[in-house]
Structures are given as C-alpha cells and as structure tokens.
C-alpha cells in the first residue's frame, strides 16, 4: 500500500511559480512511476508529468514542457512539481499518483487527495 499526500497548491497570479510536493508513505520501488495529473472543472483528468521513482523516464505533457519540472527526493520520499510561468489555463486540481502496474500486471494506481492550483489573469 502507498499513501500520497499533496501540498503546495494555492492562488497565484499569471506568471508566478508554485512548487507542489507529494509525500509518499509505504514502501516505494525503483520501478514505480510517479506522476502528476490535473483536472480542471468540467474537463477530464490529464497527465502533466511523470518520473520513475528510481530516476529517469521523465515525461511531460506538451502544454507544460519548458515550464514545469518534476523531480524526486528519495531520501524524503517526496516527489515535486515545480511550476513556473503559470497561466490561467493551468488552473486545476493537481493530483499525485503512483503507478505500480509494472508489478501487478494490471492498472494499479495510488492517488493523493489533490491540491487546488488557481491562476488569476
């Protein structure tokens, strides 16, 4: 079992930066894929960025490339999402997820409760 807790959301103006944190509890494996997702009101949840817990395999949505950076600190069991040059269209609830499908052979995700990011114009 993995428990995830996000923090760092808030209300900012366009052009500002925020750093989201995702603290993981429970045993983590190098092959776990840690991802940030977001869901704006009235829209489907979308993948923003992901990283392998053991490092590497960085993937970004086209909409955030060059602005967002995902990283992890294994010693702190934490994954981060540094968000720069925020725009109103980045407004959403941001979720952290751990993908353990590699181990179970089927879709196996653990989700945090989400943190709200609101960007005003």
């Amino acid at each position: 079992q993995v428990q995830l807790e996000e923090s760092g959301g808030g209300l900012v103006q366009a052009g500002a930066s925020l750093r989201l944190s995702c603290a993981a509890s429970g045993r983590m494996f190098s092959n776990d894929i840690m991802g940030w997702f977001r869901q704006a009101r009235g829209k489907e949840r979308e993948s923003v960025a992901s990283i392998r817990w053991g490092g590497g395999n960085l993937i970004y949505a086209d909409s955030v490339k060059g602005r967002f950076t995902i990283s992890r600190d294994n010693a702190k069991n934490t994954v981060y999402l540094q968000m720069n040059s925020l725009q109103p269209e980045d407004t959403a609830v941001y979720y952290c997820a751990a993908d353990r499908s590699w181990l179970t052979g089927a879709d196996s995700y653990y989700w945090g409760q989400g943190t709200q990011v609101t960007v005003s114009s």
Side-chain angles (χ1 to χ4, degrees):
Q1 284 285 342
V2 177
Q3 292 183 328
L4 304 172
E5 183 172 1
E6 304 97 333
S7 60
L11 170 63
V12 297
Q13 291 187 330
S17 298
L18 278 176
R19 188 177 79 159
L20 305 182
S21 299
C22 172
S25 60
R27 183 178 180 183
M28 303 301 295
F29 297 93
S30 294
N31 285 337
D32 288 336
I33 302 298
M34 304 302 296
W36 286 98
F37 294 75
R38 67 185 181 187
Q39 187 167 20
R41 186 173 298 180
K43 295 187 176 181
E44 293 187 354
R45 188 175 297 185
E46 63 173 349
S47 176
V48 175
S50 62
I51 187 171
R52 184 171 167 269
W53 185 259
N57 288 50
L58 275 70
I59 299 175
Y60 294 94
D62 288 342
S63 58
V64 306
K65 281 181 182 176
R67 299 189 299 124
F68 291 11
T69 302
I70 189 170
S71 62
R72 90 267 186 258
D73 185 334
N74 289 13
K76 295 182 178 180
N77 258 28
T78 301
V79 176
Y80 303 99
L81 184 68
Q82 177 67 44
M83 306 185 294
N84 299 328
S85 301
L86 283 162
Q87 299 300 315
E89 51 266 33
D90 295 315
T91 295
V93 177
Y94 284 71
Y95 298 90
C96 177
D99 178 2
R100 192 159 285 175
S101 302
W102 64 272
L103 181 62
T104 64
D107 284 347
S108 179
Y109 284 81
Y110 297 93
W111 294 93
Q113 82 288 352
T115 185
Q116 176 71 47
V117 172
T118 303
V119 185
S120 63
S121 58

